[in-house]
Amino acid sequence: MDENPVITTDRLTLRRFTLDDADFLFGIFSRPEVARWSGSGTPMERREEAVERIRRQPERAGDHPACGVFAVEANGQLVGMALLVPIPASAGRESEGEVEIGWHLHPDAWGNGYATEAGRALVERGFAAGFPALYAVTDPDNVRSQAVCRRLGMTDLGLRDDWYDRTLRAFRLDNPGLAGDQ
């Protein structure tokens, strides 16, 4: 696996973030309608928070070369981010090495199918890397993201508290290439 990938789809380019993307990242996560679905749910207040988030992305991606946090571009313009990362287990629970896919798009890009297209590209990447399954977790009220999970063919696991020390609606997609090996 390429450790500094550029992933292309019909309409999108996914690439690693650079510090030059900090204004865009701040612009997304300073918006309450985006921030409410991510992390603490609190909008970023300072650009430096975006810079720090970009600097922490290699650690967040972990050691597997298929994993990463990716800037998503459409028509040469940044429209969001997508991720393929180890999912942190909740306190008191052992990590079983689960890998998460996720997405956050600028509201101006909502409704164009970009999250689904980026998600499909990361599913393909994750399964090519041999991950037995991929997980997505959403706020229980985030019906837009849940719809993306369903379009990706993910199974709704219901409300779970296995990850992030929160109750989230979880989804799983098994790698069909490993179906006989599980």
Side-chain angles (χ1 to χ4, degrees):
M1 282 268 139
D2 182 357
E3 292 191 29
N4 193 20
V6 174
I7 303 163
T8 57
T9 69
D10 288 343
R11 302 179 301 155
L12 304 176
T13 300
L14 284 68
R15 60 166 176 79
R16 300 279 193 226
F17 275 91
T18 70
L19 291 177
D20 291 339
D21 301 321
D23 288 336
F24 173 77
L25 199 63
F26 176 69
I28 285 184
F29 287 104
S30 64
R31 300 175 71 101
E33 66 268 36
V34 175
R36 72 181 286 201
W37 308 120
S38 175
S40 70
T42 305
M44 286 183 182
E45 296 180 0
R46 297 176 289 102
R47 180 184 182 277
E48 293 76 27
E49 293 174 79
V51 169
E52 188 54 34
R53 187 178 278 197
I54 291 169
R55 287 190 175 133
R56 286 192 319 261
Q57 286 175 356
E59 178 183 338
R60 177 69 179 102
D63 295 334
H64 197 288
C67 290
V69 180
F70 301 93
V72 178
E73 296 179 351
N75 300 315
Q77 299 294 315
L78 284 168
V79 296
M81 68 178 289
L83 51 92
L84 181 67
V85 295
I87 187 169
S90 290
R93 184 178 174 276
E94 284 293 316
S95 173
E96 296 179 14
E98 298 101 339
V99 176
E100 174 186 12
I101 61 171
W103 40 83
H104 299 285
L105 296 179
H106 191 284
D108 291 347
W110 291 356
N112 292 300
Y114 297 150
T116 303
E117 192 169 330
R120 281 191 182 117
L122 293 181
V123 164
E124 184 177 307
R125 182 174 178 80
F127 287 170
F131 295 132
L134 297 173
Y135 293 82
V137 293
T138 69
D139 182 282
D141 296 326
N142 190 345
V143 295
R144 285 178 171 271
S145 197
Q146 293 162 17
V148 172
C149 293
R150 289 183 183 96
R151 283 192 291 277
L152 293 173
M154 301 186 90
T155 300
D156 187 339
L157 302 176
L159 296 177
R160 305 272 297 261
D161 60 1
D162 301 51
W163 307 284
Y164 291 108
D165 295 317
R166 296 178 49 201
T167 299
L168 299 164
R169 181 162 297 281
F171 293 81
R172 176 184 169 127
L173 185 63
D174 290 319
N175 186 335
L178 301 179
D181 299 336
Q182 295 180 15

